[in-house]
Amino acid sequence: MEREKTRVWNPHLFGESAVTHLFLGFIIALVVGLTGMGGGSFTVPALLLLVGLPAADAVGTAFVFAGVLRLVAAPFYLLGRQVHARYFRLLIMGAVPGLVLGIIALRLLAKEGNGSVVVIILGALLAATAGVTFLPRIHNPRFAGNNSRWLPWLAFPIGVESGFSSAGAGALGTVLLLNYSEMTPTQVVGTDILFGLVLAIIGSVAHWTFGSISASTLLQLLEGGVPGVVMGCLLARKVPAHKLKTIVAMVAFFAGLQLVWSGTHSLGAKRAIVQVRLGNQKPVDPLPEVSHP
């Protein structure tokens, strides 16, 4: 079955360029290392709008790319004992079933002719996820201690979104842990990175099994991504993370809106083509009746 590709912004500047992919990988990975978020939120729009991959391939490739980045970043937080085992377990309990459901939903929708619909949904999810970052956060240890039992249920929709779009574990996981745990912000980032790593591994295995991964693009992204995430982790304590996260969320929000616009435009163009084809079809004359003697 032929997969529907997304229209690239500028095919002469972007598209099948190894240098472009390497640069994209470095920038995205640098942001992930500095803030712990932005892996799926940046990678999926970049692969759709700049590289032109089909929706399912963009999500699958983003899953593996984000998984490798988190695999590189996780030891920095594990060695610093900045991962909370109990809250990590609660998140996994709720998110993994949601992740499986999200992957199944993406596979069912990503059929021939449904690519534009998938792009619209992806854009809406990414914009909504980025918008959550701007909501006020309640970091109340007493509230968190009394309501942490709700974490698995609240992590379930995060898993669904992550399975469908490869995004959500970073931004939504951070917001959830800040509001429903008594951890410090550094522990929140470390726990969320490990949480996102587990989701990325499961999602990567699923998409690799389905064959919805662009291996050549992935390797080029990783060439720039691995040094980028290491540099980001090393510079994390020297960069004002709060201001940077706001910028990352704004870029991800507008990238999501751009996906919605592109998907809607593509869907409208396809419907217009279908209507023109239907209008150009000539009615078939009925066969003449044969008279029998």
Side-chain angles (χ1 to χ4, degrees):
M1 180 176 61
E2 185 181 354
R3 291 172 179 157
E4 182 183 355
K5 292 189 175 182
T6 310
R7 187 181 63 170
V8 180
W9 274 343
N10 189 333
H12 300 289
L13 179 61
F14 303 110
E16 298 297 329
S17 170
V19 176
T20 299
H21 300 170
L22 190 149
F23 178 73
L24 285 173
F26 178 81
I27 295 298
I28 294 171
L30 182 65
V31 172
V32 172
L34 288 171
T35 66
M37 58 184 287
S41 302
F42 277 2
T43 310
V44 171
L47 294 179
L48 286 170
L49 298 172
L50 303 182
V51 181
L53 290 182
D57 288 10
V59 173
T61 305
F63 253 122
V64 182
F65 179 61
V68 174
L69 296 186
R70 289 188 172 98
L71 186 63
V72 175
F76 287 87
Y77 293 90
L78 286 170
L79 293 175
R81 296 182 179 180
Q82 296 167 348
V83 175
H84 198 293
R86 175 173 175 265
Y87 287 114
F88 169 73
R89 177 177 55 84
L90 291 174
L91 288 176
I92 292 298
M93 286 172 55
V96 170
L99 178 76
V100 175
L101 182 61
I103 292 174
I104 293 174
L106 176 63
R107 292 295 301 174
L108 292 176
L109 280 176
K111 296 178 180 178
E112 186 174 359
N114 287 334
S116 299
V117 176
V118 174
V119 170
I120 294 173
I121 297 175
L122 285 172
L125 288 174
L126 295 176
T129 301
V132 171
T133 307
F134 299 104
L135 296 178
R137 297 174 182 177
I138 306 170
H139 191 58
N140 188 325
R142 180 176 296 179
F143 172 84
N146 295 333
N147 294 277
S148 60
R149 64 184 182 279
W150 294 104
L151 269 176
W153 298 100
L154 296 173
F156 178 80
I158 295 179
V160 174
E161 179 181 354
S162 183
F164 193 91
S165 68
S166 85
L172 295 181
T174 298
V175 172
L176 188 60
L177 288 175
L178 282 173
N179 290 333
Y180 286 87
S181 77
E182 67 277 12
M183 290 187 292
T184 64
T186 305
Q187 286 180 315
V188 166
V189 174
T191 304
D192 187 61
I193 283 182
L194 194 62
F195 165 61
L197 173 61
V198 173
L199 297 189
I201 291 174
I202 298 173
S204 299
V205 171
H207 283 281
W208 202 286
T209 303
F210 295 139
S212 54
I213 291 174
S214 174
S216 59
T217 303
L218 174 63
L219 292 176
Q220 292 164 358
L221 288 173
L222 289 175
E223 287 181 12
V226 172
V229 72
V230 172
M231 183 179 296
C233 290
L234 294 175
L235 296 176
R237 296 183 179 181
K238 301 180 181 179
V239 177
H242 178 70
K243 294 181 180 179
L244 186 58
K245 286 182 179 180
T246 302
I247 297 174
V248 170
M250 290 179 62
V251 174
F253 178 77
F254 286 109
L257 293 182
Q258 177 63 39
L259 284 181
V260 173
W261 183 89
S262 297
T264 305
H265 179 77
S266 177
L267 188 62
K270 285 166 54 176
R271 288 180 176 175
I273 293 173
V274 171
Q275 291 177 355
V276 170
R277 288 179 178 176
L278 291 176
N280 291 335
Q281 288 181 354
K282 296 181 180 180
V284 179
D285 295 331
L287 294 175
E289 296 183 3
V290 179
S291 58
H292 298 280

